Amino acid sequence: MVMCSATSDIVLKKMCYLYVGNYAKSNPDLALLTINFLQRDCKDQDPMIRGLALRSLCSLRVPNLVEYLIGPLGSGLKDGSSYVRMVAVMGILKLYHISPSTCIDSDFPAMLKQLMLNDPETQVVANCLLALQEIWSAEASSSEEASRERDALLSKPLIYYFLNRIREFSEWAQCLLLELVAKYVPSDNSEVFDIMNLLEDRLQHANGAVVLATIKVFMQLTMSMTDVHQQVYERIKAPLITLANTGSSEQSYAVLSHLHLLVMRAPMLFSSDYKHFYCHYNEPSYVKKLKLEMLTAVANEDNTYEIVTELCEYVANVDIPIARESIRAVGKIALQQYDVNAIVDRLLQFLEMEKDYVTAETLVLIKDLLRKYPQWSHDCIAVVGSISSKNVQEPKAKAALIWMLGEYAQDVADAPYILENMIENWEEEDSAEVRLHLLTASMKCFFRRPPETQKSLGAALAAGIADFHQDVHDRALLYYRLLQHSTSIAEKVVNPPKQAVSVFADTQSSEIKDRIFDEFNSLSVVYQKPSFMFTDKEHRGPFEFSDELGNLSIGAESVNSVVPAQIVDANDKDLLLSTTEKEDSRAISTNGAGYSAPLIDASSGPLVALDTQPAETQVTPQSVAALTTPQSLLQHMLVNSIHCIASGGQSPNFKYFFFAQKAEDTSTFLVECVINTSSSKAQIKIKADDQSSSNAFSEIFQSALSKFGMS
């Protein structure tokens, strides 16, 4: 390969460079043989060969060879060819990542700064800026000089120097400069207007990335100027809408995601432009879904009729997910108190379409509407009561129907008998949500129509108490004991007078929304979540490790991931009504070490943390491959008699809380386990009330974890 590099054919020479760069890291001894011909080519008469050779020399990434990079890089920064200078600048950044001390000691950052301020080629200037930002940001934590140099990049003379030359830069370089300008803090309002005037024409740029970067600058500069900030929204509206309706679907989605963020923050400013958010037949589903959310946000008293009429057309769409989203959008507009009368009539018409998915979504929305507008119950229940429960199969829709049957049992003639039929099919119902609603609806129906409901209520309570799901079991037992204590008190608890719901909870906190807005013009806006939720810890900066785990999911639906409900005490076996009880004698498995997992008894004393720092253990590649969701590990640990209390997170970070109890005594163990699949490591923290057996349990837990994914 070294012999081949002597050719004058630039294509063959480039192939040799690629080969050397690819295999140098795995064969550092052989890479030493390539140094001579690469250094020779760095002095070639052809600037293309000089640049290619210098790039390949810096791409070897072998720490022992960094001494050979210093001379060619210094010469490259002074080369007459702008291409060679560009390569040399990026080569210095590569050198810094290989050996930071060598890069700093050779005074390369100062040379880059001088080149950035004096080089006539804009791409060289942009590369210098990028390299200096990365080097000084990394060095700022350990060097005050580097910190000062990093801050100097945001000085007024330098910012204006870049802004006055911005039209000469490439699109990528313009985005880099605009990102820097967005961090600049002007000294007064006149400076804000000067910068905005300089960048005004960037809003008409053909490249969407430049437009979005400019918009970010405008919004950051005017954040403390309320009136001007609102005018900025008006100014950026047209460029964004134009970008969203041109180009590829992928570009449209990226622009619409940013437009969606602005619409959610200031819906009134976009209310007159609602027609731009109508869906086109040839748009992909992900674009249509985003537009539906925006139509919902901009709806007001003036445009509700037109928007709802358009949304109703989408309900008949062949794309079922879009049809579902359209129905939800109609319901959300109604919940905003716009034209409720007409919208309720349209929703009731949806039930006449006799499509399963349309009926299911409509039932869920009608339930929410009745919670906010109880005065519409007469019209809605008259239609809902005629729907056969056999035609409703989706759990959420079935739960909504059951809720309405229980809440308005006095208005639906067949309510007790519909509920009775569902209770008879209790064992066939897989959804715990439906079974929970069935218990509550039976209780409410019993208080309104006791003679017709007494028998079915007894059957529901008996089935609920014997249910494997802990929540269902607990609710059934609570209702039974309430009835046993006092029927009147039970009615006050289960069926008290209700006030209309004024506001439904938002799925995303205002803090999260503000964090996303701060990360405008990034993937955070496209993903609709802050960067700490989808980036690895080492790339996250100051954010805490636990932040990205989100809410923990408690109690999975599967019987295999739920602790079995305990059997009712002997004095509870004379139930309210005569029913046949089933004894549940589930055997607790063992793992050969005498550990099992009954309910935790806190009377044995406080739990003590074994170590102040969590233990770190390696996770096998097979385990990493098998760990696709938090639930995938639960069944494996359950086989080892280690039960999960809660789990959560998303790839690459998963978090679990396990517990176990020793079979022959009352020793209890609680485990917090955080697994990072990208680093293949698990952090394990164990708490126990008996430290003498903690080491044995720790070995068993780590052994069980290491075997995950082996079978």
Side-chain angles (χ1 to χ4, degrees):
M1 188 55 64
V2 175
M3 298 294 293
C4 291
S5 65
T7 180
S8 59
D9 187 345
I10 192 169
V11 176
L12 183 57
K13 191 178 285 289
K14 187 174 182 180
M15 289 293 294
C16 294
Y17 292 159
L18 289 173
Y19 181 88
V20 168
N22 189 46
Y23 289 100
K25 192 172 182 180
S26 57
N27 299 277
D29 296 334
L30 295 177
L32 183 62
L33 301 176
T34 65
I35 295 296
N36 288 333
F37 83 80
L38 286 174
Q39 286 184 323
R40 184 180 66 249
D41 286 347
C42 285
K43 300 175 183 178
D44 195 276
Q45 294 182 352
D46 188 344
M48 182 63 69
I49 293 179
R50 292 201 303 272
L52 287 173
L54 184 56
R55 186 175 67 178
S56 301
L57 187 62
C58 297
S59 298
L60 296 180
R61 298 184 184 275
V62 179
N64 296 334
L65 303 181
V66 292
E67 59 185 284
Y68 299 103
L69 304 182
I70 299 173
L73 284 174
S75 302
L77 291 177
K78 302 172 184 176
D79 198 282
S81 169
S82 60
Y83 170 69
V84 178
R85 295 198 302 277
M86 284 190 295
V87 172
V89 172
M90 299 312 295
I92 290 174
L93 187 56
K94 293 177 182 178
L95 172 63
Y96 176 79
H97 286 298
I98 300 171
S99 177
S101 59
T102 303
C103 180
I104 301 299
D105 294 342
S106 301
D107 205 25
F108 279 134
M111 297 168 67
L112 289 179
K113 183 178 179 180
Q114 189 69 21
L115 191 65
M116 178 179 70
L117 297 175
N118 298 294
D119 200 290
E121 176 58 44
T122 54
Q123 192 59 49
V124 176
V125 175
N127 284 10
C128 288
L129 176 61
L130 176 67
L132 287 174
Q133 280 183 313
E134 193 162 335
I135 292 172
W136 281 335
S137 295
E139 290 291 316
S141 59
S142 57
S143 170
E144 292 185 5
E145 182 183 357
S147 180
R148 286 194 301 271
E149 293 287 359
R150 183 190 61 180
D151 296 339
L153 290 175
L154 295 173
S155 62
K156 182 176 179 179
L158 199 56
I159 292 295
Y160 275 78
Y161 167 72
F162 288 139
L163 288 175
N164 288 324
R165 295 189 63 187
I166 194 168
R167 293 171 183 80
E168 304 171 21
F169 286 83
S170 66
E171 294 167 344
W172 171 84
Q174 288 185 39
C175 292
L176 180 66
L177 295 181
L178 290 168
E179 193 68 30
L180 181 69
V181 176
K183 301 174 184 176
Y184 175 65
V185 181
S187 57
D188 51 37
N189 291 348
S190 62
E191 195 175 341
V192 171
F193 292 116
D194 288 343
I195 294 175
M196 292 172 66
N197 288 332
L198 283 171
L199 296 176
E200 175 73 17
D201 62 336
R202 298 300 91 190
L203 291 174
Q204 277 78 45
H205 201 282
N207 186 278
V210 175
V211 175
L212 289 175
T214 307
I215 289 172
K216 182 176 182 178
V217 173
F218 279 33
M219 291 192 300
Q220 292 290 341
L221 292 177
T222 60
M223 193 66 71
S224 59
M225 306 162 64
T226 307
D227 295 338
V228 179
H229 194 69
Q230 184 169 338
Q231 293 175 18
V232 167
Y233 274 71
E234 292 285 357
R235 177 64 187 87
I236 65 179
K237 209 166 43 170
L240 278 176
I241 290 174
T242 302
L243 272 178
N245 292 313
T246 56
S248 64
S249 299
E250 292 78 11
Q251 176 182 313
S252 296
Y253 182 77
V255 176
L256 279 172
S257 296
H258 289 78
L259 194 55
H260 173 265
L261 179 64
L262 300 178
V263 166
M264 292 302 175
R265 290 178 68 89
M268 294 303 297
L269 295 178
F270 295 88
S271 59
S272 60
D273 303 288
Y274 65 91
K275 290 186 178 179
H276 292 288
F277 307 140
Y278 283 176
C279 300
H280 302 299
Y281 76 95
N282 58 344
E283 289 176 333
S285 297
Y286 52 84
V287 172
K288 290 180 180 178
K289 185 176 183 295
L290 205 53
K291 285 189 171 183
L292 291 176
E293 293 179 12
M294 296 163 74
L295 284 172
T296 305
V298 301
N300 58 26
E301 295 178 357
D302 298 327
N303 58 25
T304 293
Y305 178 79
E306 289 82 2
I307 290 177
V308 171
T309 301
E310 180 72 13
L311 291 173
C312 289
E313 295 296 324
Y314 304 154
V315 174
N317 198 303
V318 294
D319 189 346
I320 294 178
I322 295 302
R324 289 178 180 272
E325 290 293 336
S326 302
I327 299 172
R328 292 172 193 154
V330 172
K332 288 177 183 176
I333 294 174
L335 293 175
Q336 295 171 7
Q337 299 181 340
Y338 299 133
D339 199 14
V340 180
N341 188 0
I343 292 177
V344 169
D345 290 340
R346 290 175 185 264
L347 286 174
L348 295 178
Q349 291 174 10
F350 292 162
L351 295 175
E352 299 174 1
M353 295 178 66
E354 296 183 351
K355 293 183 178 180
D356 293 344
Y357 60 91
V358 174
T359 301
E361 292 295 337
T362 305
L363 285 174
V364 174
L365 283 176
I366 289 177
K367 182 198 77 170
D368 290 339
L369 284 173
L370 291 179
R371 292 175 64 196
K372 188 166 186 177
Y373 310 113
Q375 64 270 25
W376 291 99
S377 61
H378 185 270
D379 294 337
C380 294
I381 295 302
V383 178
V384 171
S386 62
I387 297 175
S388 173
S389 60
K390 296 180 180 179
N391 297 330
V392 182
Q393 298 300 323
E394 296 183 19
K396 286 189 177 296
K398 194 179 291 188
L401 177 61
I402 292 171
W403 180 87
M404 286 184 277
L405 291 174
E407 197 70 27
Y408 301 97
Q410 71 279 7
D411 298 326
V412 182
D414 294 334
Y417 309 107
I418 297 173
L419 292 174
E420 182 179 9
N421 183 57
M422 291 183 175
I423 293 169
E424 289 176 355
N425 298 316
W426 182 283
E427 297 295 335
E428 300 174 9
E429 181 55 61
D430 296 327
S431 172
E433 180 184 10
V434 173
R435 301 199 298 273
L436 287 168
H437 275 80
L438 201 52
L439 283 170
T440 305
S442 299
M443 287 285 286
K444 292 178 179 179
C445 191
F446 171 73
F447 295 132
R448 292 182 174 91
R449 300 166 70 172
E452 299 168 275
T453 316
Q454 183 176 358
K455 182 179 178 182
S456 59
L457 175 60
L461 291 175
I465 291 172
D467 199 286
F468 65 83
H469 197 282
Q470 194 70 50
D471 291 342
V472 178
H473 165 81
D474 289 349
R475 183 175 295 190
L477 197 55
L478 170 66
Y479 287 167
Y480 163 68
R481 287 174 175 166
L482 280 172
L483 290 170
Q484 192 179 45
H485 176 70
S486 171
T487 306
S488 59
I489 292 178
E491 184 173 8
K492 291 179 181 178
V493 172
V494 179
N495 192 36
K498 294 180 178 63
Q499 295 182 347
V501 176
S502 57
V503 179
F504 286 87
D506 197 345
T507 55
Q508 214 172 45
S509 68
S510 58
E511 182 183 353
I512 292 292
K513 291 178 181 177
D514 291 340
R515 182 79 68 84
I516 295 173
F517 183 76
D518 291 340
E519 297 175 5
F520 193 87
N521 193 26
S522 70
L523 283 176
S524 298
V525 181
V526 177
Y527 291 161
Q528 296 186 15
K529 59 179 68 173
S531 58
F532 72 83
M533 290 187 172
F534 59 86
T535 52
D536 293 337
K537 186 180 179 182
E538 55 267 27
H539 303 300
R540 194 174 303 142
F543 299 113
E544 291 294 329
F545 177 76
S546 59
D547 286 349
E548 88 283 352
L549 292 173
N551 296 325
L552 294 175
S553 57
I554 307 294
E557 280 289 323
S558 171
V559 61
N560 294 324
S561 60
V562 179
V563 180
Q566 300 303 297
I567 308 305
V568 183
D569 293 338
N571 59 356
D572 285 331
K573 290 186 178 179
D574 53 341
L575 290 176
L576 175 68
L577 304 167
S578 57
T579 56
T580 303
E581 291 186 25
K582 298 179 180 179
E583 284 292 337
D584 187 359
S585 56
R586 295 181 177 88
I588 299 176
S589 62
T590 62
N591 56 8
Y595 289 92
S596 60
L599 289 183
I600 297 173
D601 183 6
S603 62
S604 58
L607 296 173
V608 180
L610 303 183
D611 298 298
T612 56
Q613 295 295 331
E616 192 170 83
T617 184
Q618 197 71 24
V619 180
T620 63
Q622 294 88 341
S623 301
V624 171
L627 189 60
T628 54
T629 63
Q631 288 72 29
S632 57
L633 179 61
L634 304 187
Q635 175 62 29
H636 171 76
M637 300 304 287
L638 189 64
V639 172
N640 292 272
S641 299
I642 300 173
H643 289 251
C644 183
I645 303 174
S647 63
Q650 56 188 0
S651 182
N653 296 302
F654 299 97
K655 190 170 188 177
Y656 300 90
F657 291 95
F658 295 101
F659 77 91
Q661 192 175 54
K662 204 166 185 180
E664 61 265 25
D665 54 35
T666 59
S667 298
T668 302
F669 304 90
L670 294 181
V671 184
E672 178 183 347
C673 179
V674 179
I675 301 176
N676 186 296
T677 54
S678 62
S679 62
S680 299
K681 291 182 179 179
Q683 291 182 332
I684 301 170
K685 191 172 184 179
I686 300 176
K687 292 184 179 182
D689 54 3
D690 179 14
Q691 297 189 44
S692 61
S693 57
S694 59
N695 291 334
F697 174 74
S698 178
E699 292 177 2
I700 290 173
F701 184 87
Q702 294 188 38
S703 174
L705 186 63
S706 65
K707 296 176 182 176
F708 176 56
M710 294 297 187
S711 57

